[in-house]
Amino acid sequence: MAVDKYDIAVEAGKKDVQNRAAKGEPTELPVLDHILADVEISGEFPLGLIDIPLELIAGTKTDGRANAFAPNFMPLLGKGSEFAMKWSSLCEAHLREGIHDPIKAYEYMNRYYVLEGNKRVSVMKYFGAESITGYVTRIVPVREDTKESRLYYEFLDFYQDTNINYLIFTEEGSYAKLSRILGHAKHTRWSLEERYEFHSCYNRFSESYEELGGKDLPLTTGDAMLAYIELFGYEDMKDAGPEEIRTNLQKMWDDMTGSYIDPVHAVQYEPAPGQKKRILSRILSAKDGKITKVAFVYGETAETSAWSYAHELGRLYLQDVFGESIQTSVYDGIKRFEDVEDVIERAVADGNEMIFTTKPEFLPASLKAAVNHPDVKILNCSLNASHNSVRPYFGRMFEAKFLSGALAGIMTDTDKIGYITNCPIHGMTAEINAFARGVKMVNPKAKVYLEWTAALKNQGVDLLEHFLSLGATYISAQDIADPRSTSRQYGLFRVNGEKPVNLALPVWNWGKYYELIIRSVQNGSWNAVKQDEEDAIVSYWWGMSSGVIDLILSEGVSSEARLLIQSLRNSMQTYEIMPFDGVLMSQNGIVPSEHAHKLTAKEIVQMDWLADNVIGEIPKLSELIPEVRPLVYEDGVYKQE
């Protein structure tokens, strides 16, 4: 009977109040009028009659009925009350024919507050309904520079294109990322069929996610669904049944939850103890470890890409070090990003026990392969990745850039230094700022003039002539010489007449890096780096102290300057000097940090500011050439626009 159901609902309401009181949480139903008391409103906009997700109904518009309900919208008043009789009548009506009368509600910051129809909402929540129809007015607050405000305005843009109100994200850029993955440009309306199709996928995913305990996690169904789509693809998801979705979710569960739920990051700044000593011997027998086949996945070939060429030198170094005990192979010439998954699967099928994917854009495909093949060790050459299944590895190249900047500051005779880089991905801004810090340390008057080769405005521009017109005769350019080019515009060089004179070159010793990683498996330190946290997210971020990063000086550097740079290098190798220790000044003032005058690894990797002696700015996504946008989407220092 409906009366019995009312008793059950009241018990559920009381239990909710008790649980919240025990946790120190509010025990009253939120009232929108109270919430808006100190909020500056931009405007109110009628949305008409829409389906309101019941899980997003958070409270009432006024406080007239707030004390009649628990925060979970279950009733609290006694069963002899008029309220109880009306609630029970609605319950009977719902059981006979369903509740069809729309409610009236207000939407504020992605949550709904009921003006008329509180008991209807309560009954529908009791029966576990998904949504209820209602006439909704949206209240939009003034935009603020907070994560909550930015997320909400991203939702408003997404809603304008899709009319989807049930998808909630907790990370900035997620709505834009989802639209991009699904092939929708911003301000492009979704068709009715596309909305129905997506809602069907969402419902199937939500069912599987809840069955696995997703409701107990501090990430939304939207967060989890986006991670799923990134890994397994939307096209496959559209054809997948609940069982297949559940199986795939189980594969990625540890990695997904580890990435979102207060992850423990084991950033390895140095090779594990014993690795450096053992590397000197270079003695290895087949019985020492389990790695016998290692694959390298390049985007382009070593003949056509300076980046691939540098990693190929590292692979050849491995062959010399390990001889016949380890077999290495190359998978390259990947023309389309959608082919990366197939290439990695081929490397797995060929029996490779360790796979290095050498581009940040390859991370999604690497992650999918890792969850499908947990016995294969897969590493991705990138920064800022946060996954259990794939270990990112990179070098602290900013250390060499700091030394290069100090050298430029010593040698410049105009106090103007040029700096050429490609696009704003993680780590790149740190290199610029470290260079600028090095310049400022020895020459406070000097300025660093920054230009991006991937910026649309620089296409067809002779940057060398540009810097010369400014009076900058010392220029820092790309770190790796292009094997296809005879140009000497790399590293730090001086323009002396018609030909550049190379002075210093930051170098990647990828061979030593790869050897150290393989040795970590051989000597058992591969798992030891997780320390006391079995699920810690491990990343390698080695620098000059490990020998994987260095700066080579040419004969064009004076003995006095050489002595100073070598002294700085020695101090950096022992951590006596670090580029980002001390008070940091950006173009906008003092840079705050979690620890006074010492940036954390995360703050260095995710730098989105420029030092105060840099003349230039970080380009927006829309200001970059289309060819680099996939890389910046995946590994950019700022959120998607």
Side-chain angles (χ1 to χ4, degrees):
M1 293 178 62
V3 175
D4 296 332
K5 296 186 185 303
Y6 184 78
D7 290 340
I8 296 172
V10 169
E11 287 302 313
K14 291 179 178 179
K15 185 176 180 180
D16 183 53
V17 170
Q18 292 171 355
N19 290 339
R20 290 173 185 269
K23 297 177 182 178
E25 298 175 353
T27 58
E28 297 179 352
L29 194 64
V31 177
L32 182 59
D33 285 348
H34 297 169
I35 295 172
L36 296 178
D38 299 318
V39 175
E40 187 177 357
I41 301 302
S42 173
E44 296 187 7
F45 307 92
L47 302 181
L49 184 65
I50 66 172
D51 284 332
I52 306 172
L54 278 164
E55 66 175 354
L56 298 182
I57 296 181
T60 64
K61 173 63 167 63
T62 65
D63 57 8
R65 278 298 187 185
N67 62 349
F69 300 96
N72 64 354
F73 250 100
M74 292 300 99
L76 292 175
L77 302 183
K79 65 178 180 181
S81 64
E82 180 184 358
F83 177 92
M85 293 176 59
K86 290 182 177 180
W87 194 98
S88 299
S89 296
L90 279 171
C91 182
E92 290 178 355
H94 177 69
L95 292 173
R96 287 196 310 269
E97 57 189 29
I99 294 176
H100 303 295
D101 293 337
I103 66 170
K104 291 183 179 179
Y106 285 81
E107 183 258 295
Y108 171 73
M109 297 295 288
N110 260 354
R111 295 297 183 268
Y112 295 82
Y113 300 85
V114 182
L115 178 65
E116 295 180 9
N118 288 292
K119 287 186 287 294
R120 276 169 275 171
V121 169
S122 180
V123 170
M124 296 292 275
K125 277 181 174 278
Y126 173 83
F127 284 103
E130 179 186 333
S131 63
I132 188 171
T133 58
Y135 291 98
V136 175
T137 299
R138 171 171 286 155
I139 299 177
V140 179
V142 171
R143 188 192 297 261
E144 297 178 347
D145 189 21
T146 64
K147 180 180 180 180
E148 184 183 30
S149 178
R150 292 191 295 269
L151 265 173
Y152 182 64
Y153 270 84
E154 288 181 13
F155 161 75
L156 293 180
D157 285 340
F158 182 76
Y159 183 86
Q160 183 178 359
D161 295 342
T162 65
N163 281 83
I164 290 174
N165 63 349
Y166 52 83
L167 194 66
I168 306 298
F169 291 121
T170 60
E171 293 299 320
E172 295 174 63
S174 296
Y175 289 105
K177 180 183 287 188
L178 175 68
S179 296
R180 178 175 58 85
I181 292 173
L182 270 55
H184 291 283
K186 190 175 180 180
H187 304 313
T188 301
R189 291 284 295 174
W190 289 27
S191 69
L192 192 60
E193 180 182 355
E194 288 170 331
R195 279 181 270 163
Y196 281 146
E197 195 169 51
F198 185 83
H199 196 213
S200 174
C201 288
Y202 181 86
N203 286 340
R204 280 179 279 127
F205 180 86
S206 179
E207 177 184 345
S208 299
Y209 183 60
E210 290 183 24
E211 285 182 8
L212 292 174
K215 286 295 184 182
D216 298 327
L217 301 180
L219 63 159
T220 67
T221 304
D223 291 329
M225 184 175 176
L226 178 58
Y228 183 98
I229 290 173
E230 285 187 281
L231 201 57
F232 295 103
Y234 184 57
E235 291 303 316
D236 289 343
M237 186 182 194
K238 289 191 292 187
D239 298 328
E243 186 62 35
E244 182 180 348
I245 291 176
R246 189 158 45 250
T247 300
N248 288 338
L249 255 177
Q250 287 174 322
K251 290 180 182 179
M252 63 179 288
W253 193 263
D254 289 343
D255 196 273
M256 178 182 67
T257 54
S259 300
Y260 277 92
I261 305 172
D262 195 21
V264 176
H265 291 270
V267 180
Q268 198 185 26
Y269 298 95
E270 296 286 339
Q275 277 183 267
K276 285 197 213 177
K277 183 176 180 181
R278 185 171 181 179
I279 195 174
L280 298 176
S281 65
R282 296 187 177 179
I283 298 174
L284 182 70
S285 63
K287 64 180 180 181
D288 285 333
K290 301 177 181 179
I291 300 298
T292 59
K293 295 187 71 174
V294 180
F296 292 82
V297 179
Y298 307 150
E300 298 176 291
T301 66
E303 292 76 22
T304 58
S305 164
W307 184 250
S308 296
Y309 177 67
H311 287 277
E312 177 64 3
L313 291 178
R315 185 188 71 84
L316 295 174
Y317 174 91
L318 284 185
Q319 290 187 174
D320 290 339
V321 170
F322 291 109
E324 296 181 357
S325 64
I326 288 183
Q327 177 184 340
T328 66
S329 54
V330 172
Y331 300 79
D332 60 7
I334 303 172
K335 300 187 182 302
R336 303 185 308 165
F337 285 117
E338 49 265 42
D339 295 333
V340 179
E341 288 183 18
D342 294 338
V343 171
I344 298 176
E345 284 295 324
R346 180 151 44 94
V348 172
D350 290 343
N352 288 288
E353 300 139 315
M354 178 176 280
I355 300 174
F356 294 98
T357 60
T358 59
K359 300 188 74 172
E361 305 99 303
F362 293 172
L363 176 60
S366 302
L367 183 58
K368 183 173 182 178
V371 299
N372 283 324
H373 307 285
D375 294 334
V376 180
K377 294 176 172 61
I378 299 180
L379 301 94
N380 177 252
C381 190
S382 64
L383 282 167
N384 206 45
S386 183
H387 300 283
N388 280 318
S389 301
V390 173
R391 294 192 182 185
Y393 65 98
F394 212 73
R396 300 196 300 270
M397 178 53 73
F398 67 84
E399 295 176 353
K401 288 289 190 177
F402 176 76
L403 299 180
S404 182
L407 180 60
I410 294 170
M411 301 191 71
T412 180
D413 50 4
T414 65
D415 291 339
K416 295 180 179 180
I417 301 164
Y419 193 104
I420 302 173
T421 191
N422 187 24
C423 57
I425 59 174
H426 288 112
M428 197 70 75
T429 316
E431 293 178 15
I432 298 167
N433 288 332
F435 182 90
R437 290 270 290 175
V439 169
K440 190 174 184 179
M441 180 182 66
V442 299
N443 189 344
K445 295 181 181 180
K447 300 294 182 182
V448 177
Y449 291 80
L450 172 65
E451 294 294 343
W452 306 81
T453 58
L456 288 169
K457 71 180 183 69
N458 284 332
Q459 301 310 294
V461 175
D462 188 327
L463 292 179
L464 187 61
E465 290 296 328
H466 166 71
F467 287 130
L468 287 175
S469 69
L470 295 175
T473 56
Y474 287 82
I475 300 169
S476 174
Q478 65 183 33
D479 305 327
I480 306 170
D482 191 330
R484 299 166 296 179
S485 174
T486 58
S487 171
R488 301 191 64 82
Q489 295 184 29
Y490 54 83
L492 177 68
F493 61 89
R494 179 180 71 244
V495 181
N496 183 15
E498 295 183 0
K499 293 183 179 181
V501 176
N502 297 104
L503 301 172
L505 178 65
V507 294
W508 297 89
N509 292 325
W510 287 118
K512 184 171 291 187
Y513 210 136
Y514 290 133
E515 180 185 4
L516 288 168
I517 290 176
I518 292 173
R519 299 279 189 194
S520 75
V521 180
Q522 313 284 2
N523 64 25
S525 60
W526 170 269
N527 292 320
V529 297
K530 292 197 173 189
Q531 300 170 342
D532 297 329
E533 297 288 344
E534 184 177 346
D535 295 327
I537 296 171
V538 178
S539 59
Y540 302 100
W541 202 32
W542 299 339
M544 298 188 75
S545 57
S546 308
V548 301
I549 297 292
D550 205 351
L551 183 74
I552 298 175
L553 303 179
S554 76
E555 294 180 357
V557 177
S558 67
S559 59
E560 294 82 5
R562 184 183 299 273
L563 182 63
L564 175 59
I565 298 304
Q566 288 175 342
S567 177
L568 289 174
R569 178 201 278 120
N570 294 338
S571 297
M572 193 172 297
Q573 288 176 336
T574 56
Y575 294 96
E576 295 176 62
I577 292 179
M578 292 303 290
F580 299 114
D581 287 354
V583 177
L584 301 174
M585 296 296 296
S586 75
Q587 293 172 335
N588 299 317
I590 295 178
V591 178
S593 63
E594 292 182 12
H595 305 284
H597 309 318
K598 187 177 182 66
L599 294 190
T600 64
K602 182 178 180 180
E603 288 172 331
I604 293 173
V605 169
Q606 296 183 348
M607 266 183 197
D608 58 358
W609 52 269
L610 294 173
D612 61 342
N613 60 331
V614 174
I615 308 298
E617 60 185 15
I618 300 173
K620 299 177 181 179
L621 284 174
S622 57
E623 297 171 342
L624 299 173
I625 59 175
E627 290 82 353
V628 304
R629 290 177 189 173
L631 170 60
V632 179
Y633 276 129
E634 188 61 45
D635 204 39
V637 298
Y638 42 67
K639 302 299 181 184
Q640 278 83 353
E641 296 173 32

